[in-house]
Amino acid sequence: MSAPLVVHDGVWTAYDRNQIPDVDESVSNLFSSLNISSPSNFHCRNIIPPVGYDGGVTGAGTGSPIGAGEGSGRHPFRTGIRSSYYTLGGQTSALTVDPQRNYYPLWRNREVGCSVGFDQMFDFDQSFDLLPKEHIYNPHNVSRSVNVSVLCLKELRGKVYALAKDQNGCRLLQAKFENPSDEEVEFVLYEVLEYISELMKDQFGNYLIQKLITVCNDDHKLRMLLSLTDVPVEMVLVCMNPHGTRAMQKLLENLTDPYHIALAMAALRPGAARLASDPNGHHVIQYCLIHFPSDVIEPILNEIADKCYEVATDRSGCCVLQACMEHSHGKVRNRLVAEILGNAVVLAEDPYGNYVLQHMVGLKVPEFTARLVRQLQGNFASLSCNKYASNVVEKCLNESSEDISRQIVMELITCSNPALLLIDPYANFVIQSALTVSTGHVYNYLLELISDNMSSMRTNLYGKKILSWFEKRRILAI
């Protein structure tokens, strides 16, 4: 059978339908189901009209498999082509194809260009593959719709905010901001000042703001603070954001003017207790406690003291309250200690509050420890049987004076049921600490108590722990 082709001057131009052999019916049905556009719009990025083609692409004749005019007399697969045509939205336009340029594949962004409805591996309408990347507008990624790498900062007027919220755009802005002039700093600040709180909370924009803060002068920082404090709670909300808390700490780190610091503390004061209990905000409060003088952070300390119990019983707040005691001085410190001691019994039994009391004892201020012991007096036996409070009792025994530790041990021995302490899951550790710090007749009283309950202790898991303490001491003495 002869080939089903029509050849003109040695060039294949069309099929001879009368000579096409029969094909399997299933294959025919498969191709019939495809939604392929008419021959006038049927084109592929690998098929480019020939060099020197001076006629309009008006649509191939019926049966033509390619978009070139039928009977053109040119081979459709000639290489080295630079000047060609492409079809876009039914319109034929000339386009210079530069093989050295980087063209944007259609399947990487289905929102760009036209498509005839095929899957990405079978999309015959690839005209946008010929468009350079920097000329394609992507509404979801402004950094790709503008070739910002060749623009200076001033040429990005009106685009800095959008670029700052894009990952690549933010990186490009930071790269252009390595050694900025005063004029460039002023330009970027003007572009972002209205949106500074939003950018500080943005996953990408916060990096640009941090970069901007490091190159700003005092006047610029004041303008930032005024913008952040324009809405009373805005600064607090920024601190509570996982990205905003880092940007805020960077701003506080670069504040040197006392007036600016006082302005920031005044803005943080109303939400200090809430920030102290926030997983992100407590970092800002702790930064202030560590890096600013006690008289500067006094408004924050007073606010936390007003809500001492709520802060002390929070996972983040208990850490903040420990820092408050450590870095405060004078009247405000005494007020904090008084508020803590007023809730000492309840805090001792709290999963987080007990750490605050332990830290108070760890400060090794005899006055604080003595006041705490007086506050807990009469409750040491019950506190020793509590999972959390037993740690507070041990801390008091191990890090207080001999007189105070003796007072605690005597209260334990003379309680209503001292034998119970010997076999309790938590109190047995308190008894071991008591044996360690006791001397003289107090130690003898403990030995007598243990001797009277030796039989029950030998059959109890926690009683055995106390007996093993004696065994360890005996081995060490040998």
Side-chain angles (χ1 to χ4, degrees), residues 397-445:
L397 285 170
N398 293 326
E399 300 195 20
S400 60
S401 65
E402 184 177 347
D403 291 339
I404 290 178
S405 61
R406 183 188 304 113
Q407 177 185 342
I408 297 173
V409 174
M410 289 305 299
E411 182 177 328
L412 295 176
I413 295 173
T414 59
C415 70
S416 58
N417 190 3
L420 182 62
L421 301 178
L422 303 176
I423 57 174
D424 185 82
Y426 307 111
N428 78 89
F429 294 105
V430 175
I431 296 298
Q432 292 180 56
S433 296
L435 287 167
T436 303
V437 301
S438 297
T439 58
H441 67 278
V442 176
Y443 181 75
N444 293 330
Y445 290 152

Side-chain angles (χ1 to χ4, degrees), residues 5 46 85 103 121 140 146 165 174 198 235 310 322:
L5 301 173
N46 292 326
Y85 292 79
Y103 294 96
M121 296 303 295
H140 301 288
V146 180
K165 298 187 71 174
Q174 292 180 72
E198 182 181 348
M235 197 163 175
E310 290 82 355
Q322 293 175 54

Side-chain angles (χ1 to χ4, degrees), residues 41 43 87 89 106 114-116 118 122-128:
N41 291 327
H43 50 279
T87 302
L106 175 63
C114 305
S115 173
V116 295
F118 287 87
F122 300 94
D123 197 333
F124 293 157
D125 192 350
Q126 302 285 342
S127 59
F128 267 85

Side-chain angles (χ1 to χ4, degrees), residues 113-413:
C114 305
S115 173
V116 295
F118 287 87
D119 291 334
Q120 58 182 357
M121 296 303 295
F122 300 94
D123 197 333
F124 293 157
D125 192 350
Q126 302 285 342
S127 59
F128 267 85
D129 288 7
L130 301 177
L131 294 179
K133 288 182 182 178
E134 60 267 28
H135 294 302
I136 297 178
Y137 176 74
N138 183 348
H140 301 288
N141 195 344
V142 70
S143 66
R144 291 186 179 179
S145 55
V146 180
N147 189 7
V148 296
S149 61
V150 298
L151 300 178
C152 65
L153 281 173
K154 291 183 180 180
E155 294 176 308
L156 299 177
R157 186 177 302 277
K159 300 182 177 68
V160 173
Y161 167 72
L163 286 168
K165 298 187 71 174
D166 175 80
Q167 184 176 17
N168 295 324
C170 184
R171 288 175 177 173
L172 288 168
L173 285 174
Q174 292 180 72
K176 292 177 179 295
F177 221 55
E178 286 299 330
N179 296 298
S181 63
D182 293 341
E183 188 177 359
E184 289 176 327
V185 173
E186 180 66 33
F187 166 75
V188 174
L189 180 62
Y190 175 81
E191 288 278 312
V192 304
L193 191 60
E194 182 181 354
Y195 315 100
I196 188 165
S197 62
E198 182 181 348
L199 290 176
M200 291 177 84
K201 293 183 287 186
D202 186 78
Q203 60 176 332
F204 304 123
N206 78 91
Y207 293 108
L208 177 65
I209 299 301
Q210 292 186 59
K211 185 77 172 180
L212 179 62
I213 290 170
T214 59
V215 296
C216 280
N217 57 34
D218 286 345
D219 179 63
H220 295 151
K221 295 169 191 173
L222 177 60
R223 289 161 62 187
M224 287 185 180
L225 283 171
L226 293 175
S227 179
L228 287 167
T229 56
D230 188 40
V231 179
V233 298
E234 191 61 43
M235 197 163 175
V236 175
L237 295 177
V238 171
C239 295
M240 295 172 68
N241 181 272
H243 308 293
T245 184
R246 297 176 182 176
M248 186 59 65
Q249 290 175 72
K250 178 64 71 173
L251 177 59
L252 294 173
E253 178 185 340
N254 286 270
L255 293 180
T256 55
D257 190 290
Y259 171 72
H260 298 169
I261 297 174
L263 182 62
M265 296 303 102
L268 293 174
R269 182 196 62 77
R274 186 176 178 184
L275 289 175
S277 302
D278 185 78
N280 301 309
H282 82 277
H283 294 295
V284 176
I285 299 298
Q286 291 203 61
Y287 182 90
C288 296
L289 296 172
I290 294 171
H291 293 90
F292 296 142
S294 178
D295 58 330
V296 173
I297 59 175
E298 186 171 344
I300 290 178
L301 293 171
N302 284 322
E303 184 70 20
I304 292 174
D306 290 339
K307 299 180 180 178
C308 182
Y309 177 77
E310 290 82 355
V311 174
T313 54
D314 180 81
R315 180 174 184 175
S316 301
C318 72
C319 299
V320 172
L321 201 53
Q322 293 175 54
C324 288
M325 287 189 293
E326 190 168 344
H327 296 285
S328 59
H329 304 282
K331 293 182 179 180
V332 66
R333 188 186 202 188
N334 292 332
R335 187 189 172 200
L336 279 169
V337 171
E339 293 290 338
I340 293 169
L341 292 176
N343 299 283
V345 176
V346 181
L347 291 178
E349 297 178 329
D350 186 80
Y352 304 114
N354 76 91
Y355 291 109
V356 177
L357 298 181
Q358 290 186 63
H359 187 77
M360 179 185 292
V361 177
L363 292 175
K364 297 186 182 301
V365 179
E367 181 187 354
F368 293 167
T369 304
R371 290 170 62 185
L372 175 60
V373 171
R374 284 198 301 268
Q375 197 69 27
L376 299 179
Q377 193 171 1
N379 297 283
F380 282 111
S382 60
L383 293 176
S384 297
C385 297
N386 181 274
K387 178 179 180 180
Y388 306 109
S390 60
N391 296 308
V392 178
V393 178
E394 282 191 75
K395 191 79 170 180
C396 292
L397 285 170
N398 293 326
E399 300 195 20
S400 60
S401 65
E402 184 177 347
D403 291 339
I404 290 178
S405 61
R406 183 188 304 113
Q407 177 185 342
I408 297 173
V409 174
M410 289 305 299
E411 182 177 328
L412 295 176
I413 295 173

